[in-house]
Each structure stands twice: as structure tokens, then as C-alpha cells.
Amino acid sequence: MQMQGTKQQKWQGIPFNQVRIEDSFWRPRLDLLTQVTLPLCLTKSEETGRISNFVKAAGLVEGEFEGIYFNDSDVYKVLEGAAYSLMTNRDAVLEAEIDRIIDLIAAAQEEDGYLCTYYTLVKPDEKWTDMEKHEMYNGGHLIEAAVAYYEATGKRVLLNVASSLADHYDSVFGPGKRHWVEGHEEIELALVKLFRVTGEERYWKLALWLLEERGHGHGVGAIWDNKEWGPAYCQDDVPVRDIKEVKGHAVRAMYLYTAMADVVHVSGDTTYMDALHRVWEHTVERNMYITGGIGPSRHNEGFTHDFDLPNDSAYCETCAAIAMVLWNHRMNLLTGDAKYADIIEREMFNGALAGISLSGDRFFYVNPLASEGNHHRVPWFDCSCCPTNLVRFLPSIGGYVYSRTDDGLVVNQYVSGTASCEAGAAGIAVTLEQKTSYPWSGQIELTVGAVTVAEEDGSGGTAHGNKFEIKLRIPGWCRGYSVSVNGSAVRGADLLIGQGYVTLSRAWNAGDTIALSLDMAVEAVRSREEVVSNAGRVAFGRGPVVYCAEGIDNEALAYDQFEVSAATPFATEHRADLLGGVVVLTGKAGNGSQVTLVPYYAWDNREPGFMQVWMKEKQAHTLYRF
């Protein structure tokens, strides 16, 4: 098959292992993940038989398969998260444990490269008969883990397993071979990752072939036989280039769009871009919650109809919020538009972060926007895709902070720390230090460290030909900002503005500083009028953070029995002693009682009680609409 669009201009992401995070908001969370969450997920994978399934499949012990048919994928996601942790903190004990598990995985692989412990142990004669059974989904997560572990340690055992598995896929499926539509997308984006680390073009071309299989009636299995779901549930109802609307299972859809964007990026062919733009607008403008959550329905873990955004029954799977980050990151790299980085920020501070407790050992699978007090995080799930997804997502957040363009660098997210990277097509080596108290403060300071440019004679030098751009994202929520360089305000023609960024272009020297000040007022927000669930209601945010009322702070109020005026003046106070350190909003409810709001991501970390994001509005005003 051929893709025949025009060539696509693209940015390059700066890997998170080139970004050292030293941030008062994120650093404690990353440390907690290494100390608590990752060991917990490894322990649970042992206790629930997920790891022993590989031992049994390898014939090392007798026994039956334990758990759900896609349980292999949880082990792979934990390994990927462990690899990311090892990239920034090489831990010999953790590495030895991961090596042990990898040896078990390698032993379970069959001679022809096939690897899926469910089929090896339960249905060895029924491989590749039901496209819903996640055979390639499992393989995709294996590939992602293998690439990550190779990049972290240089060890090839798991990468060799992944390559053998991909070679097996390539020998069975493809042009002139068997048709296949994987029920749960994931393999497609993983194959692109495998190509990037191995240089084997047939891997990304297989990903393209798998994308092109969709929407042509090839699907067979439980999904396709289910009259309530059908092909749309797994995005198999129309060819991918003809997609106009988001449908079906939320995580599957986001992984599909991520893979489509990856193929555009790696091929330079824009054939899929129209579909990606259409479905992005349909997702964000009609089917996304204020928190960034997507997929309102428990029934299909996904989408129903436009503007169906109930609050107390919102499903908003944590994995779907993480998948939104993956997709929007790719879209930002492809288009250079800050609106995609805005979505990443929304998920980072709200939709995805709500999925894990402040203690790092309890999780939300489902993230409603209202609760009478009976929805709580738990230590594990039978289907534990969300905890294991968080383990691989959180250590990688540094990869969303900066990007590289042909003309310089882009600052997409505001996180304290230091990046060592290259700027521009000429490969100018730059160290960039960022200091901020974001998301509680809109004050950001960037300091340029060493700027090294290779001279024509190859000897190297500093401050020679060192002109490049630095783009700074101005968040969509921000109503005013100012920029200065070395203490002098930058205005007018010296401050280029476009696609949500301001651009500073000059010769940069070590010690140069940029100060960006973002106004961070409390914002009252209304939904579009088509969202019936939010009619007559108002929500509040400050900076990137969405707020909620929680019962423990509002004992004089009862669930959904109070009103708040959109014009209420809220006082802001940073409370270092509360919820790991947060800015709290306090104002007056319509009955004169005090109302206190805390960040949505932090709810359900104290005593049980009600929670509401959207509150009844005391009176109407014309406001910014989300």
C-alpha cells in the first residue's frame, strides 16, 4: 500500500533521560514511584500469578494460567517503568530483579517467536483465531518494554525477544499473507519504536499495514460478534484515513491515533493528517471533560454520543488520560501547535494524576467528577492496566517538557530541572536550567548554561554561531503574560507570537536568563450549553489545575445542596501542610457558608466524603467557556 500525502515538517522530542527533574511538585512523586509504586506493582505481579505464567509457559514448573488473557501486558508495563527509572537512577538491585524476570520471559518464547502465555498454556491450537484476545496488544507492550530496557541498560536479551516476536508477526501477517485487525491497538505504535531502535524499516511498514487493515471487514472475534459494540468499538468500522468521529473504547481509540501520528512522523507522509485533525477536534471539543478525562461510559469503557459528559457516573479511565498524552505529544511534534501541549498539561495535572494516591499505593481506574462519598482508590485491580500504566507514564514526564526544531528549542511544560540537549538543525549543544513553583506560581525562569557549537574545523567552541530560537508555550488558560531577557522586557517585533508560543531568537550565551510571568487568576468556567449534565453549573480552575469541593473541607455543606456564584472572589493560600503542598481556594457559597476548593487530582486522600467539580451556580454571568 502507498501513502501519497505531502511531506510533513516535524519537531523532535527531547528524551526524558536528557532532562533532570528537580521540581518541588514532580520530584517527590517520582521518588515515591520508585520507592513505593514500582515495588508494589512488581509484588502484585508476583502474587497474582502474572510472572509465574511465564515460568509455566516456559515449562519450568507445572501449573495452569492465572488471571485474564492479557495479563502479560501488565508485567511488560512494569518492566518499561522500571527501565525508565533505571535511566535516571541506576539501581543494581532493581536491575537484577528485572533481569530475572526478563530471563523468564525469554524462556517462555516459542521457537517461532510467538509469545503469549495465555495461548501457550490454555489454547495452543487456537492462536490467531480471535482478534479480541490481545495477542498483539501484549506483544506491543513487550516491545515498548524491550526498547526502554535496551536504552536504559544496553542489554539486548529482551530486545532480541521483541525482535523475534515482531519477526513472527511479519512472517504471518502482511501483504499477500493473513489479514489481521488487532482488537486492542498498541502493537502499531510499538512497532514504530522498534524500528527507531533497530533501523529495520519493515517494522514500521508492518505498523502501517495493520493500520490500513482497519475498516475493510477483516475483523473476527468477540467484539465483532457483539451487536451492542461491533466494529466501531475497536475502530474497525471505517478505514483510518476516513475517520471523522471518535468512537468506541477510549484507550483503544487513543492508541490508534497515536500510531497514526507515529507513522506520519516516521514516513513524512501526511495522508493521515486530515483524519487526525478531524478526530482531535471531535474528541476535545465535544467529548472531553474539563479534567481531560475521556470516555463517559462504563458499558464500553468509552464514548457514547456528543456532549454526553455525566459527572457522577463518568468513567474516564486513567489509562485513557495517559493515552491522550501520548497522542497529543505526537500531534504537537507534527504540527508545532501549542494546543496539543495544553492537553498534555491538562492530563498531567488532572486527568492522569488523579489516578494515583499521594501515598503512591492506591489507584483509581475510574475518575468521576462527582461522588457522594462512595468512590475510593484501591490497592490493585483484577484488570490492573491503570496502576501499571502509571508506573511507566510518570517516570517519562520529562520527555514532554522540551522539543527540538530546525531553528532551536521549544519549552512545552514548566518543570524545574536541567536539560542537556541539542538546539536547531546545526546541533548546537545547550544546557537549559528551569526554575519554577509551577503549577502554584506562574513565574518561570530559564537560564542558558553552556552553549557549544561545532566550528568548521571541527575543533569546537563556545558562543560562535550560537543564534537559535527558544519558543515558550503560553497556556490556553493564561489571560496575560510578560517576557524578559537578562532583565529587559521583550515586546513588539522582538517577541514573535504564533500557534500558542512566543519565540525569542538571538545569539544565546552562557548565563543568559529568560523570565516568563504567566497571570494565574482563579477562573470560573462553564460548559457548552449542549452539555446537559452541567446546565446551571460552574467549575473553577487556577492555572493548569482544576479544583473541586471535598466534603472534609466543607462540613457546613451537603453534596449538591449548595450554590456558588461564578463571581465569587476566591482567596488563594499555599498550604505546605495539606495534601503534599497545594494552593487552596476559599470563598463563600450562596448561603454565606465558607466553601473551600482543593485540586481535583488530590481528592480522596483523606477522610471519605463528597466531591464535586461542577457546582450549582447561584447566578449567571457571561464567562469564558471551556
Side-chain angles (χ1 to χ4, degrees), residues 16-32 35 87-89 348 394-395 397-399 401-402 413-420 431-439 443-445:
F16 67 86
N17 58 349
Q18 294 178 223
V19 180
R20 178 64 185 172
I21 293 178
E22 296 292 350
D23 186 271
S24 60
F25 187 89
W26 289 110
R27 185 74 258 160
R29 286 167 168 79
L30 298 180
D31 291 342
L32 189 71
Q35 297 161 8
M87 284 184 191
T88 54
N89 182 27
M348 284 173 60
L394 288 172
I397 59 170
V401 179
Y402 302 101
Q413 305 299 334
Y414 298 113
V415 179
S416 290
T418 303
S420 298
T431 301
L432 196 63
E433 182 183 10
Q434 186 177 162
K435 293 183 179 179
T436 182
S437 296
Y438 208 81
Q443 307 303 310
I444 300 111
E445 181 180 278

Side-chain angles (χ1 to χ4, degrees), residues 17 79-80 82-92 94-99 102 145-159 197:
N17 58 349
L79 296 190
E80 185 181 354
Y84 292 157
S85 293
L86 289 171
M87 284 184 191
T88 54
N89 182 27
R90 200 75 180 257
D91 181 322
L94 174 61
E95 190 170 335
E97 173 63 7
I98 302 307
D99 286 342
I102 287 172
V147 170
Y149 200 67
Y150 171 70
E151 291 178 337
T153 67
K155 297 176 180 178
R156 300 189 63 93
V157 174
L158 194 59
L159 186 65
V197 78

